[in-house]
Structures are given as C-alpha cells and as structure tokens.
Amino acid sequence: MKSFAFAILLSTFFLGSVLANPPALNAAQAATIAQEDLEARGLQDKVFIAQVIYKKGGFGSKKSWEIYWSESFPAQTEGRNEFGARVTMDGKYTRLVR
C-alpha cells in the first residue's frame, strides 16, 4: 500500500512539473516547421512525418522535438541518409542523418 501511495505521489509531482513548464514550441508547430522543410525540397509527395517525440533535454542538451520521416533518403552529405529533423524551442531545426 505504501508503494502505491508513493507511486501516486511521485506521478503527481512529475505531472505537475510538466504542466508548470510546458514546451515553448508545441508539437504542431514543430511538425509544421519539419513539413515546410520537406515541401521546400519537393519531398512532400514521397516522405511524410511518421513520429514526433518530445525530448526533455538533459545534461548538455536542450529541450527539443524530434521528428522522424516515414523513410530515410540520401542526405546532402554523400554516403549518409537523412531520417528526420530536430526542432529546438526557438524554432530552429537541424536535419538528422546517419
């Protein structure tokens, strides 16, 4: 019973901290930025957004949204493939390649 009460208390604390500090940029805005990048390159008919994940950040990293494409494709860097984009809370983005 004590562990159940502790779990409820802990989840309430984390939920409260998330609600108190919502992301500066919401998921829809991040997806719009990523979609505009696809459209600017003429890829909107071949590749679409498959997944959007919120990254809270941690030691040495900032809060961001990671957007993953439905399929990877050749990146501008030869021999590498682009698989998504990372959008930071200020609206800047970088393409994710491997």
Side-chain angles (χ1 to χ4, degrees):
M1 185 65 174
K2 287 182 182 180
S3 61
F4 178 73
F6 180 71
I8 295 293
L9 179 65
L10 191 61
S11 64
T12 303
F13 171 75
F14 284 120
L15 180 61
S17 66
V18 168
L19 294 176
N21 297 316
L25 189 76
N26 66 38
Q29 293 167 318
T32 299
I33 291 168
Q35 184 65 35
E36 287 172 353
D37 180 56
L38 286 176
E39 291 171 5
R41 296 185 286 159
L43 296 169
Q44 72 276 7
D45 294 332
K46 302 173 195 161
V47 179
F48 58 89
I49 295 171
Q51 190 173 24
V52 179
I53 299 175
Y54 177 64
K55 298 288 187 170
K56 291 189 240 182
F59 187 74
S61 65
K62 298 178 181 178
K63 293 178 183 178
S64 64
W65 292 98
E66 287 192 0
I67 292 102
Y68 297 104
W69 307 139
S70 57
E71 60 184 80
S72 62
F73 53 89
Q76 292 175 337
T77 305
E78 188 175 331
R80 304 197 74 171
N81 287 320
E82 181 175 331
F83 64 94
R86 177 177 293 123
V87 181
T88 57
M89 294 301 132
D90 59 2
K92 295 179 183 173
Y93 70 92
T94 56
R95 296 176 182 149
L96 300 174
V97 298
R98 56 177 108 146

